[in-house]
Amino acid sequence: MTTKLASPGAPVTFNQETTHDLELTVRDLKLWYGENQALKGIDLDIYENNITALIGPSGCGKSTFLRCLNRMNDLIPTVRTEGEIMMEGRNVLSKEVDEVALRKKVGMVFQKPNPFPKSIYENVAYAPRMHDIVPAGKEQDELVETSLRAAGLWEEVKDQLGSPGTSLSGGQQQRLCIARAIAVQPSVILMDEPTSALDPISTATIEDLMYELKKEYTIVVVTHNMQQAARIADYTAFFHLGEVIEYNDTATMFSTPSEKRTEDYITGRYG
Amino acid sequence: MSQSLDDISRQLKKRHRKSARMKWLSFGALLLAGVFLVLFLADMLIKGLPAFQQAYIQVEVNYSERASELPLAAVEADVRELVSRGYLRLIPNRMEANPDLLGTQRMEWVLADDEVDQYLQGADSSLSAKHKAVVDRLTEAGRAELQFNTGFFTNGDSKLPEMAGLASAAVGSVMLLIVTLAFAFPVGVMTAVYLEEFAPDNRFTRFIDVNINNLAAIPSILFGLLGLAIFINFFGAPRSSALAGGLTLGLMTLPIIIITARAALSSVPDSIRHAAFGVGATRWQTVRDHVLPLSMPGILTGSIIGMAQALGETAPLIIIGMIAFIPDAPTSFTQAATVLPAQIYTWASMPESAYVERTAAGIIVLLSVLITLNATAVYLRKKFEHRW
Amino acid sequence: MQTDQILMTFFAGVILLGALGFYLGRSKAARTRAGGTHMHSQPDQYAWFAVLSSAGPAIIAAALAAIVLGVLETAFPGWLAVASALGLGAIGLFLGLNRIRPELRARDSLERTVKWVLLGAASVSVLTTFGILFSILFEAIRFFQMESFWYFITGTEWSPGDSFLAAAGREGGGDGAMFGALPLFAGTFMITAIAMLVAVPIGVSAAIYMAEYAPPVLRDVAKPVLEVLAGIPTVVYGFFAAITVAPLIVAVAESVGLEASFSNALAPGIVMGIMIIPFISSLSDDVISSVPTAMRQGSLALGTTRNETIRYVVLPAALPGIISATLLGVSRALGETMIVVMAAGMRPNLTANPLEDMTTVTVSIVSALTGDNEFGSAATLSAFALGLVLFVVTLALNFVSVMMIRRFRAKYAVNNL
């Protein structure tokens, strides 16, 4: 694989060769909630078919940053952004890019599982139907099955596709939400603390699943849990007060952090 | 496998158009509701405003011996039909009250007949061409004009539109509201205090709770049947009286007062109750000295809204006979009375066109009172709103 | 004596007794306390104890007397009742004052009494419901003893006209009276249906706009505007329907070659619909707003448009609440009286043409009770039979509506509804 490094002038964030394609490049991203600046110039490269973890203390801007990647922040009227997030050679923050199209391409899984109050089948089939991905009938059934299989849920729910999504356990609900996201065939999946509301066993299942999913999708995950980042992420970015303090491959980040603040955070001095 | 952004955007065009259409459609619905309101208010103003002006004509009144017997004789034959019969009828009384008038002859501004009024307002009038010509002549001579209609606010009901006013209905409404408030406020607040502060969480309490919500949804006309059967037929309260009407509306207003009072009571934080219990106050002392005073603004707001509703209510009052023809204001709670909405209803069914504008004018007055009441409630809520 | 004089005397007497009790009780307690004796409660509490022991029996006795007088009108004259009630109060005052001693737990008995009085007040609303039910039920039963229940429910001719002749004991006089209420039910249904056709689409759409699209400024304006619409008295709507809307409909119908009655069903239906818009929109707005934001975000994050999210996720989730609001609206429309009394016809008419005049249950109740009919006649009592139907139907609708909103609340753990 070729190495595409960041555009000239960008800070050098790696101390070793990378072997991955770029999915998203973020340059000087600034964001305000009204008068309040939450992101103060973020530069970050996100690599295809990798898991990138965003860590940092609460209020550091990592979730806000994640929500910029599919423009979910547009839903908050007071939010203003500057800078660029490049995807397919376009700045997805610009008005020319349709945020609805962007969201189809960049899916999202939320902190708390939020299945729709519909059947398991409908939860998965809903968005593909809106996007007219497959005609109703056999092909749709197949898409639902593939998506549920990819989310590792098929064996558990194949006999109860008609029962409401809300009747599943928390971990199953979250995998249903993942299946729902997969079904629209995105290229990136954003996950906002996807396991923080779950028990340890469900968490382990989802982590295994993420490991499987990165073969096909690029995953950006926000997590509070440093062990989780260490376990699953290929790259890790440490956010603090709206800035990226350090960004590196996970092993390096956790073994030899170059910044004092990163070390303090990962050793638990604050958080 | 994933489509490019451009491909997706192209497919989205139609869906976006649909989305925009939906937004404007729903906005249109809201707009329509607003347009209804504006049209309705404009219609009432156009129909009602003329009633605030009343035609008067200047005629020669001859207080002769004969006029005290036959009032028609007091004015010239050519304008006789143009003067309000209500005015003429009172001439003998005035002559009796003031004997000096006898034998005098004076130019006076007198109330005109409703048809003259309609003609001067430019509305359809059943005046004959001859009379119209007389009115035109009077107008040219400055002897016929529209003046502010004070009688509308000082007179009681009348079978003559030009004499009909709101005064007795207004007095009736006030008396009715006094009874309603005197009944519904204490009972409602006590019920709310019981349910919020004293009641154990048992079946009976839940039953009362469900029952209050049901009561709020019962059609008002059924309260009229209750009032007829209980207050009038059983307890023998006089028909058409403010007492019977006020109690009936009191029962109807009860759920509103209870529901708002409960909300006000439950918004007082428990820390206040705990503080009072902590210094040895009993439950009732706690409620009386701390919880009730703190929730009073909310309770008052709810009561005003309840009163506004009672003021506009008609259906149950028709059932208990409060649509009687009441020319004079009642002086006691047991006398037959009428209320503003009932007066509007009575006028609305009158054939003379002058009553149409009076009905609309009555509506304007009623709506002004209601809007004032509700605005007061909103103001109170804003002013005393506590954020705990 | 006149009723109001009797009441006046009674209230004056009770207030006097109470004031006397307060003053005497308080001074007795204060004297005892000044003597250095430790008392269980505060002087004021003893004072209130004396008030209750005097005014309490008087009020209870008077209430009992009023009920007895209601049942047996000539049992005893009213002034006697007042005199004995006040006499009882005086005896109570004397006994109560005697009981004021240091060891008397006046505070506790006050607390108990307060609780019972409050419970009594809370029972008024229950009594009202049962009062409505029984007062209607009894008269309705009297009606069904005279007329067939089956024909009432299924009969197609309603002409209560000359039933008073039968009540007056004249043979065969009531033969012409027919009490088949089907045309009334049909008229009520027609007008309600028209009203809901106006109110539901406009109300729900307006609620969608307010909850999902409206900028806060517009919301702040629109809410009070809708509240004004809800606060307009029904008699005013009735006038508007009869004077403005009905002639308009007749004119429009004529221009397209249709014949419409001036008391057509369309005018009251439409105006009633306008009246019900705010009920539906405000409840639906609350329900739509309380669908969790997570639902919307979950849908939008899948790349669906606003419209798709609302239609396929938000509205289905809010549906129980919207249905509940609609049912409440239907219940309001069925029981609405003034609009139909003023704008709908008086003629029972079984038709599907909304341009014809037809009458409703509530109109018939009003006309049965405002005429010069003898109270015991079938014509008058028919009002109670119709009232019973109205009561049962609206109660059932309200019940279902409450169940649905409760289900919605349980599903999303929403507490503000």
Side-chain angles (χ1 to χ4, degrees), chain B residues 15 19 22 40 43 47 191 194 211 214 226 233-234 282-285 332 334 345, chain C residues 4 45 70 111 119 121 125-126 129 131 236 243-244 303 307-308 341 375 398:
Chain B
R15 286 161 62 195
S19 193
M22 166 108 151
F40 162 78
D43 187 44
K47 287 205 167 73
T191 305
Y194 179 76
N211 184 68
N214 275 334
L226 170 82
N233 283 354
F234 188 77
T282 64
R283 200 161 262 281
W284 167 237
Q285 287 170 330
S332 103
T334 50
Y345 172 65
Chain C
D4 42 346
Q45 289 163 342
E111 198 72 12
L119 179 63
S125 63
V126 177
T129 310
V236 176
I243 294 289
T244 308
N307 163 44
E308 289 157 354
V341 164
F375 188 78
N398 188 38

mmCIF file of all heavy atoms in Angstrom, chain B residues 15 19 22 40 43 47 191 194 211 214 226 233-234 282-285 332 334 345, chain C residues 4 45 70 111 119 121 125-126 129 131 236 243-244 303 307-308 341 375 398:
data_model
loop_
_atom_site.group_PDB
_atom_site.id
_atom_site.type_symbol
_atom_site.label_atom_id
_atom_site.label_comp_id
_atom_site.label_asym_id
_atom_site.label_seq_id
_atom_site.Cartn_x
_atom_site.Cartn_y
_atom_site.Cartn_z
ATOM 1 N N ARG B 15 -36.009 13.447 -2.660
ATOM 2 C CA ARG B 15 -36.384 13.301 -1.251
ATOM 3 C C ARG B 15 -36.318 14.645 -0.530
ATOM 4 O O ARG B 15 -37.119 14.922 0.350
ATOM 5 C CB ARG B 15 -35.484 12.268 -0.577
ATOM 6 C CG ARG B 15 -35.826 10.850 -0.988
ATOM 7 C CD ARG B 15 -34.714 9.887 -0.712
ATOM 8 N NE ARG B 15 -34.400 9.794 0.712
ATOM 9 C CZ ARG B 15 -33.288 9.247 1.176
ATOM 10 N NH1 ARG B 15 -32.371 8.767 0.348
ATOM 11 N NH2 ARG B 15 -33.063 9.183 2.467
ATOM 12 N N SER B 19 -39.260 16.649 1.407
ATOM 13 C CA SER B 19 -39.077 17.093 2.779
ATOM 14 C C SER B 19 -39.476 18.560 2.931
ATOM 15 O O SER B 19 -40.160 18.938 3.882
ATOM 16 C CB SER B 19 -37.621 16.892 3.187
ATOM 17 O OG SER B 19 -37.459 17.029 4.560
ATOM 18 N N MET B 22 -43.213 19.012 2.885
ATOM 19 C CA MET B 22 -43.814 18.641 4.170
ATOM 20 C C MET B 22 -43.684 19.786 5.177
ATOM 21 O O MET B 22 -44.625 20.104 5.902
ATOM 22 C CB MET B 22 -43.100 17.404 4.696
ATOM 23 C CG MET B 22 -43.387 17.133 6.146
ATOM 24 S SD MET B 22 -44.445 15.721 6.327
ATOM 25 C CE MET B 22 -43.913 15.140 7.918
ATOM 26 N N PHE B 40 -61.979 35.542 12.045
ATOM 27 C CA PHE B 40 -63.047 35.524 13.030
ATOM 28 C C PHE B 40 -63.105 36.848 13.789
ATOM 29 O O PHE B 40 -64.166 37.454 13.923
ATOM 30 C CB PHE B 40 -62.820 34.348 13.981
ATOM 31 C CG PHE B 40 -63.561 34.457 15.262
ATOM 32 C CD1 PHE B 40 -64.907 34.158 15.307
ATOM 33 C CD2 PHE B 40 -62.932 34.886 16.412
ATOM 34 C CE1 PHE B 40 -65.605 34.277 16.481
ATOM 35 C CE2 PHE B 40 -63.623 35.011 17.589
ATOM 36 C CZ PHE B 40 -64.965 34.710 17.619
ATOM 37 N N ASP B 43 -64.302 39.641 11.592
ATOM 38 C CA ASP B 43 -65.735 39.518 11.354
ATOM 39 C C ASP B 43 -66.523 40.088 12.531
ATOM 40 O O ASP B 43 -67.487 40.839 12.359
ATOM 41 C CB ASP B 43 -66.069 38.036 11.139
ATOM 42 C CG ASP B 43 -67.506 37.827 10.716
ATOM 43 O OD1 ASP B 43 -67.967 38.602 9.852
ATOM 44 O OD2 ASP B 43 -68.158 36.915 11.243
ATOM 45 N N LYS B 47 -68.840 43.423 12.442
ATOM 46 C CA LYS B 47 -70.258 43.309 12.767
ATOM 47 C C LYS B 47 -70.609 44.055 14.033
ATOM 48 O O LYS B 47 -71.707 44.593 14.165
ATOM 49 C CB LYS B 47 -70.628 41.828 12.930
ATOM 50 C CG LYS B 47 -70.691 41.064 11.632
ATOM 51 C CD LYS B 47 -71.610 39.855 11.778
ATOM 52 C CE LYS B 47 -71.940 39.269 10.441
ATOM 53 N NZ LYS B 47 -70.785 38.541 9.868
ATOM 54 N N THR B 191 -59.171 19.929 48.060
ATOM 55 C CA THR B 191 -58.973 18.636 47.408
ATOM 56 C C THR B 191 -57.512 18.478 46.992
ATOM 57 O O THR B 191 -56.896 17.438 47.222
ATOM 58 C CB THR B 191 -59.875 18.527 46.161
ATOM 59 O OG1 THR B 191 -61.209 18.758 46.550
ATOM 60 C CG2 THR B 191 -59.752 17.166 45.518
ATOM 61 N N TYR B 194 -55.378 17.868 49.961
ATOM 62 C CA TYR B 194 -55.537 16.495 50.443
ATOM 63 C C TYR B 194 -54.742 15.530 49.564
ATOM 64 O O TYR B 194 -53.964 14.716 50.056
ATOM 65 C CB TYR B 194 -57.014 16.091 50.454
ATOM 66 C CG TYR B 194 -57.209 14.668 50.917
ATOM 67 C CD1 TYR B 194 -57.099 14.343 52.263
ATOM 68 C CD2 TYR B 194 -57.450 13.648 49.998
ATOM 69 C CE1 TYR B 194 -57.227 13.042 52.687
ATOM 70 C CE2 TYR B 194 -57.585 12.344 50.422
ATOM 71 C CZ TYR B 194 -57.467 12.042 51.770
ATOM 72 O OH TYR B 194 -57.583 10.747 52.189
ATOM 73 N N ASN B 211 -60.978 9.968 38.757
ATOM 74 C CA ASN B 211 -62.276 10.582 38.697
ATOM 75 C C ASN B 211 -62.193 12.065 38.305
ATOM 76 O O ASN B 211 -62.996 12.547 37.521
ATOM 77 C CB ASN B 211 -62.892 10.431 40.076
ATOM 78 C CG ASN B 211 -64.273 10.937 40.099
ATOM 79 O OD1 ASN B 211 -65.139 10.354 39.473
ATOM 80 N ND2 ASN B 211 -64.474 12.039 40.763
ATOM 81 N N ASN B 214 -61.587 12.384 34.688
ATOM 82 C CA ASN B 214 -62.804 12.102 33.935
ATOM 83 C C ASN B 214 -63.758 13.278 33.974
ATOM 84 O O ASN B 214 -64.344 13.649 32.967
ATOM 85 C CB ASN B 214 -63.516 10.883 34.512
ATOM 86 C CG ASN B 214 -62.958 9.614 33.936
ATOM 87 O OD1 ASN B 214 -62.421 9.626 32.824
ATOM 88 N ND2 ASN B 214 -63.047 8.541 34.671
ATOM 89 N N LEU B 226 -77.127 17.745 35.727
ATOM 90 C CA LEU B 226 -76.883 17.534 37.157
ATOM 91 C C LEU B 226 -77.472 18.686 37.964
ATOM 92 O O LEU B 226 -78.180 18.475 38.956
ATOM 93 C CB LEU B 226 -75.391 17.425 37.426
ATOM 94 C CG LEU B 226 -75.001 17.444 38.902
ATOM 95 C CD1 LEU B 226 -75.158 16.063 39.510
ATOM 96 C CD2 LEU B 226 -73.586 17.928 39.100
ATOM 97 N N ASN B 233 -84.233 20.561 41.296
ATOM 98 C CA ASN B 233 -85.317 19.644 41.641
ATOM 99 C C ASN B 233 -85.189 19.085 43.052
ATOM 100 O O ASN B 233 -86.170 18.882 43.734
ATOM 101 C CB ASN B 233 -85.376 18.492 40.637
ATOM 102 C CG ASN B 233 -86.018 18.943 39.334
ATOM 103 O OD1 ASN B 233 -86.500 20.074 39.253
ATOM 104 N ND2 ASN B 233 -86.013 18.081 38.348
ATOM 105 N N PHE B 234 -83.936 18.819 43.490
ATOM 106 C CA PHE B 234 -83.770 18.177 44.792
ATOM 107 C C PHE B 234 -83.678 19.198 45.922
ATOM 108 O O PHE B 234 -84.465 19.194 46.853
ATOM 109 C CB PHE B 234 -82.546 17.270 44.769
ATOM 110 C CG PHE B 234 -82.405 16.434 46.005
ATOM 111 C CD1 PHE B 234 -83.191 15.302 46.192
ATOM 112 C CD2 PHE B 234 -81.510 16.788 46.989
ATOM 113 C CE1 PHE B 234 -83.080 14.541 47.342
ATOM 114 C CE2 PHE B 234 -81.398 16.028 48.147
ATOM 115 C CZ PHE B 234 -82.185 14.903 48.323
ATOM 116 N N THR B 282 -46.756 20.507 62.676
ATOM 117 C CA THR B 282 -47.565 19.376 62.220
ATOM 118 C C THR B 282 -47.726 19.512 60.710
ATOM 119 O O THR B 282 -47.364 20.522 60.115
ATOM 120 C CB THR B 282 -48.966 19.394 62.861
ATOM 121 O OG1 THR B 282 -49.632 20.574 62.409
ATOM 122 C CG2 THR B 282 -48.880 19.400 64.371
ATOM 123 N N ARG B 283 -48.301 18.465 60.107
ATOM 124 C CA ARG B 283 -48.491 18.467 58.661
ATOM 125 C C ARG B 283 -49.344 19.658 58.222
ATOM 126 O O ARG B 283 -49.017 20.359 57.270
ATOM 127 C CB ARG B 283 -49.167 17.159 58.248
ATOM 128 C CG ARG B 283 -49.001 16.832 56.806
ATOM 129 C CD ARG B 283 -49.277 15.365 56.550
ATOM 130 N NE ARG B 283 -48.050 14.595 56.484
ATOM 131 C CZ ARG B 283 -47.270 14.560 55.410
ATOM 132 N NH1 ARG B 283 -47.572 15.253 54.339
ATOM 133 N NH2 ARG B 283 -46.182 13.836 55.388
ATOM 134 N N TRP B 284 -50.438 19.883 58.966
ATOM 135 C CA TRP B 284 -51.346 20.972 58.587
ATOM 136 C C TRP B 284 -50.662 22.324 58.757
ATOM 137 O O TRP B 284 -50.801 23.207 57.917
ATOM 138 C CB TRP B 284 -52.629 20.883 59.417
ATOM 139 C CG TRP B 284 -53.496 22.108 59.335
ATOM 140 C CD1 TRP B 284 -53.922 22.879 60.357
ATOM 141 C CD2 TRP B 284 -54.043 22.692 58.149
ATOM 142 N NE1 TRP B 284 -54.693 23.906 59.904
ATOM 143 C CE2 TRP B 284 -54.787 23.825 58.549
ATOM 144 C CE3 TRP B 284 -53.980 22.381 56.794
ATOM 145 C CZ2 TRP B 284 -55.455 24.646 57.647
ATOM 146 C CZ3 TRP B 284 -54.640 23.203 55.889
ATOM 147 C CH2 TRP B 284 -55.368 24.312 56.323
ATOM 148 N N GLN B 285 -49.882 22.482 59.839
ATOM 149 C CA GLN B 285 -49.166 23.754 60.026
ATOM 150 C C GLN B 285 -48.172 23.972 58.887
ATOM 151 O O GLN B 285 -48.013 25.090 58.384
ATOM 152 C CB GLN B 285 -48.436 23.750 61.374
ATOM 153 C CG GLN B 285 -49.393 23.903 62.551
ATOM 154 C CD GLN B 285 -48.702 23.645 63.876
ATOM 155 O OE1 GLN B 285 -47.757 22.859 63.955
ATOM 156 N NE2 GLN B 285 -49.187 24.292 64.923
ATOM 157 N N SER B 332 -80.316 39.778 44.230
ATOM 158 C CA SER B 332 -79.941 38.735 45.180
ATOM 159 C C SER B 332 -79.592 37.466 44.406
ATOM 160 O O SER B 332 -79.939 37.313 43.243
ATOM 161 C CB SER B 332 -81.065 38.482 46.188
ATOM 162 O OG SER B 332 -81.754 37.300 45.863
ATOM 163 N N THR B 334 -80.682 34.601 44.678
ATOM 164 C CA THR B 334 -81.754 33.661 44.401
ATOM 165 C C THR B 334 -82.733 34.191 43.351
ATOM 166 O O THR B 334 -83.660 33.512 42.977
ATOM 167 C CB THR B 334 -82.522 33.322 45.692
ATOM 168 O OG1 THR B 334 -82.865 34.551 46.328
ATOM 169 C CG2 THR B 334 -81.676 32.486 46.619
ATOM 170 N N TYR B 345 -76.499 34.681 23.424
ATOM 171 C CA TYR B 345 -77.313 33.637 22.804
ATOM 172 C C TYR B 345 -78.730 34.146 22.528
ATOM 173 O O TYR B 345 -79.290 33.936 21.444
ATOM 174 C CB TYR B 345 -77.338 32.412 23.719
ATOM 175 C CG TYR B 345 -78.293 31.339 23.287
ATOM 176 C CD1 TYR B 345 -78.098 30.651 22.092
ATOM 177 C CD2 TYR B 345 -79.398 31.010 24.062
ATOM 178 C CE1 TYR B 345 -78.972 29.664 21.693
ATOM 179 C CE2 TYR B 345 -80.278 30.025 23.672
ATOM 180 C CZ TYR B 345 -80.058 29.361 22.478
ATOM 181 O OH TYR B 345 -80.927 28.390 22.079
ATOM 182 N N ASP C 4 -82.931 33.055 50.665
ATOM 183 C CA ASP C 4 -81.663 33.764 50.911
ATOM 184 C C ASP C 4 -81.623 34.356 52.307
ATOM 185 O O ASP C 4 -80.567 34.445 52.926
ATOM 186 C CB ASP C 4 -81.372 34.817 49.840
ATOM 187 C CG ASP C 4 -82.586 35.618 49.446
ATOM 188 O OD1 ASP C 4 -83.701 35.175 49.800
ATOM 189 O OD2 ASP C 4 -82.424 36.647 48.781
ATOM 190 N N GLN C 45 -54.524 26.840 69.113
ATOM 191 C CA GLN C 45 -55.055 25.527 68.749
ATOM 192 C C GLN C 45 -56.277 25.195 69.585
ATOM 193 O O GLN C 45 -57.229 24.587 69.089
ATOM 194 C CB GLN C 45 -53.963 24.465 68.900
ATOM 195 C CG GLN C 45 -52.913 24.631 67.812
ATOM 196 C CD GLN C 45 -51.622 23.910 68.104
ATOM 197 O OE1 GLN C 45 -51.339 23.548 69.242
ATOM 198 N NE2 GLN C 45 -50.825 23.713 67.075
ATOM 199 N N GLY C 70 -84.793 18.336 50.987
ATOM 200 C CA GLY C 70 -84.785 18.024 49.565
ATOM 201 C C GLY C 70 -85.671 16.829 49.269
ATOM 202 O O GLY C 70 -86.411 16.805 48.292
ATOM 203 N N GLU C 111 -55.644 18.378 63.846
ATOM 204 C CA GLU C 111 -54.982 17.725 62.715
ATOM 205 C C GLU C 111 -55.913 16.675 62.102
ATOM 206 O O GLU C 111 -56.051 16.583 60.891
ATOM 207 C CB GLU C 111 -53.681 17.088 63.218
ATOM 208 C CG GLU C 111 -52.677 16.741 62.150
ATOM 209 C CD GLU C 111 -52.005 17.972 61.552
ATOM 210 O OE1 GLU C 111 -52.157 19.078 62.114
ATOM 211 O OE2 GLU C 111 -51.356 17.819 60.506
ATOM 212 N N LEU C 119 -60.521 15.474 53.250
ATOM 213 C CA LEU C 119 -61.016 14.274 52.577
ATOM 214 C C LEU C 119 -62.432 14.511 52.085
ATOM 215 O O LEU C 119 -62.797 14.109 50.974
ATOM 216 C CB LEU C 119 -60.959 13.077 53.533
ATOM 217 C CG LEU C 119 -61.477 11.754 52.963
ATOM 218 C CD1 LEU C 119 -60.608 11.322 51.792
ATOM 219 C CD2 LEU C 119 -61.484 10.674 54.027
ATOM 220 N N ALA C 121 -63.713 17.363 51.201
ATOM 221 C CA ALA C 121 -63.647 18.202 50.003
ATOM 222 C C ALA C 121 -63.267 17.365 48.791
ATOM 223 O O ALA C 121 -63.835 17.519 47.704
ATOM 224 C CB ALA C 121 -62.637 19.323 50.206
ATOM 225 N N SER C 125 -65.664 15.832 44.319
ATOM 226 C CA SER C 125 -65.540 15.538 42.892
ATOM 227 C C SER C 125 -66.065 14.141 42.574
ATOM 228 O O SER C 125 -66.655 13.914 41.522
ATOM 229 C CB SER C 125 -64.092 15.696 42.442
ATOM 230 O OG SER C 125 -63.298 14.762 43.102
ATOM 231 N N VAL C 126 -65.838 13.206 43.521
ATOM 232 C CA VAL C 126 -66.377 11.859 43.306
ATOM 233 C C VAL C 126 -67.903 11.910 43.333
ATOM 234 O O VAL C 126 -68.574 11.348 42.466
ATOM 235 C CB VAL C 126 -65.867 10.896 44.396
ATOM 236 C CG1 VAL C 126 -66.476 9.522 44.208
ATOM 237 C CG2 VAL C 126 -64.359 10.813 44.365
ATOM 238 N N THR C 129 -69.347 13.171 40.082
ATOM 239 C CA THR C 129 -69.449 12.167 39.021
ATOM 240 C C THR C 129 -70.651 11.261 39.249
ATOM 241 O O THR C 129 -71.453 11.023 38.349
ATOM 242 C CB THR C 129 -68.181 11.308 38.964
ATOM 243 O OG1 THR C 129 -67.069 12.177 38.933
ATOM 244 C CG2 THR C 129 -68.177 10.439 37.744
ATOM 245 N N GLY C 131 -73.149 11.919 41.136
ATOM 246 C CA GLY C 131 -74.336 12.761 41.047
ATOM 247 C C GLY C 131 -74.813 12.860 39.610
ATOM 248 O O GLY C 131 -75.992 12.681 39.311
ATOM 249 N N VAL C 236 -69.871 32.022 21.182
ATOM 250 C CA VAL C 236 -69.316 32.925 20.181
ATOM 251 C C VAL C 236 -69.069 32.175 18.871
ATOM 252 O O VAL C 236 -69.402 32.654 17.782
ATOM 253 C CB VAL C 236 -68.011 33.548 20.722
ATOM 254 C CG1 VAL C 236 -67.357 34.407 19.670
ATOM 255 C CG2 VAL C 236 -68.297 34.342 21.977
ATOM 256 N N ILE C 243 -74.078 33.014 11.635
ATOM 257 C CA ILE C 243 -74.216 34.293 10.942
ATOM 258 C C ILE C 243 -73.267 34.429 9.763
ATOM 259 O O ILE C 243 -73.592 35.007 8.738
ATOM 260 C CB ILE C 243 -73.978 35.456 11.947
ATOM 261 C CG1 ILE C 243 -75.093 35.461 12.982
ATOM 262 C CG2 ILE C 243 -73.893 36.788 11.238
ATOM 263 C CD1 ILE C 243 -76.436 35.894 12.459
ATOM 264 N N THR C 244 -72.053 33.888 9.911
ATOM 265 C CA THR C 244 -71.061 34.097 8.859
ATOM 266 C C THR C 244 -70.817 32.859 7.999
ATOM 267 O O THR C 244 -70.856 32.926 6.782
ATOM 268 C CB THR C 244 -69.719 34.554 9.479
ATOM 269 O OG1 THR C 244 -69.991 35.660 10.332
ATOM 270 C CG2 THR C 244 -68.735 34.951 8.411
ATOM 271 N N GLY C 303 -28.819 8.877 7.497
ATOM 272 C CA GLY C 303 -28.915 9.575 6.232
ATOM 273 C C GLY C 303 -30.333 9.675 5.709
ATOM 274 O O GLY C 303 -30.575 9.594 4.511
ATOM 275 N N ASN C 307 -38.092 14.966 6.858
ATOM 276 C CA ASN C 307 -39.445 14.492 6.570
ATOM 277 C C ASN C 307 -39.566 12.990 6.814
ATOM 278 O O ASN C 307 -40.504 12.526 7.456
ATOM 279 C CB ASN C 307 -39.759 14.861 5.124
ATOM 280 C CG ASN C 307 -40.931 14.093 4.576
ATOM 281 O OD1 ASN C 307 -41.934 13.946 5.253
ATOM 282 N ND2 ASN C 307 -40.795 13.597 3.356
ATOM 283 N N GLU C 308 -38.562 12.229 6.331
ATOM 284 C CA GLU C 308 -38.626 10.777 6.509
ATOM 285 C C GLU C 308 -38.539 10.416 7.984
ATOM 286 O O GLU C 308 -39.252 9.524 8.465
ATOM 287 C CB GLU C 308 -37.497 10.109 5.716
ATOM 288 C CG GLU C 308 -37.731 10.172 4.220
ATOM 289 C CD GLU C 308 -36.453 10.041 3.406
ATOM 290 O OE1 GLU C 308 -35.364 10.015 4.001
ATOM 291 O OE2 GLU C 308 -36.545 9.990 2.181
ATOM 292 N N VAL C 341 -76.564 24.115 18.683
ATOM 293 C CA VAL C 341 -77.860 24.720 19.022
ATOM 294 C C VAL C 341 -78.092 25.948 18.150
ATOM 295 O O VAL C 341 -79.183 26.192 17.656
ATOM 296 C CB VAL C 341 -77.913 25.095 20.517
ATOM 297 C CG1 VAL C 341 -79.062 26.056 20.777
ATOM 298 C CG2 VAL C 341 -78.084 23.855 21.366
ATOM 299 N N PHE C 375 -92.322 18.471 33.564
ATOM 300 C CA PHE C 375 -91.048 17.791 33.792
ATOM 301 C C PHE C 375 -91.167 16.278 33.696
ATOM 302 O O PHE C 375 -90.284 15.602 33.218
ATOM 303 C CB PHE C 375 -90.461 18.178 35.160
ATOM 304 C CG PHE C 375 -89.074 17.642 35.343
ATOM 305 C CD1 PHE C 375 -87.999 18.272 34.740
ATOM 306 C CD2 PHE C 375 -88.847 16.477 36.064
ATOM 307 C CE1 PHE C 375 -86.713 17.766 34.876
ATOM 308 C CE2 PHE C 375 -87.572 15.967 36.193
ATOM 309 C CZ PHE C 375 -86.497 16.618 35.599
ATOM 310 N N ASN C 398 -62.918 8.916 26.845
ATOM 311 C CA ASN C 398 -61.912 9.464 27.743
ATOM 312 C C ASN C 398 -61.073 8.356 28.361
ATOM 313 O O ASN C 398 -59.856 8.466 28.478
ATOM 314 C CB ASN C 398 -62.613 10.271 28.836
ATOM 315 C CG ASN C 398 -61.636 11.027 29.682
ATOM 316 O OD1 ASN C 398 -60.659 11.541 29.164
ATOM 317 N ND2 ASN C 398 -61.873 11.063 30.966
#
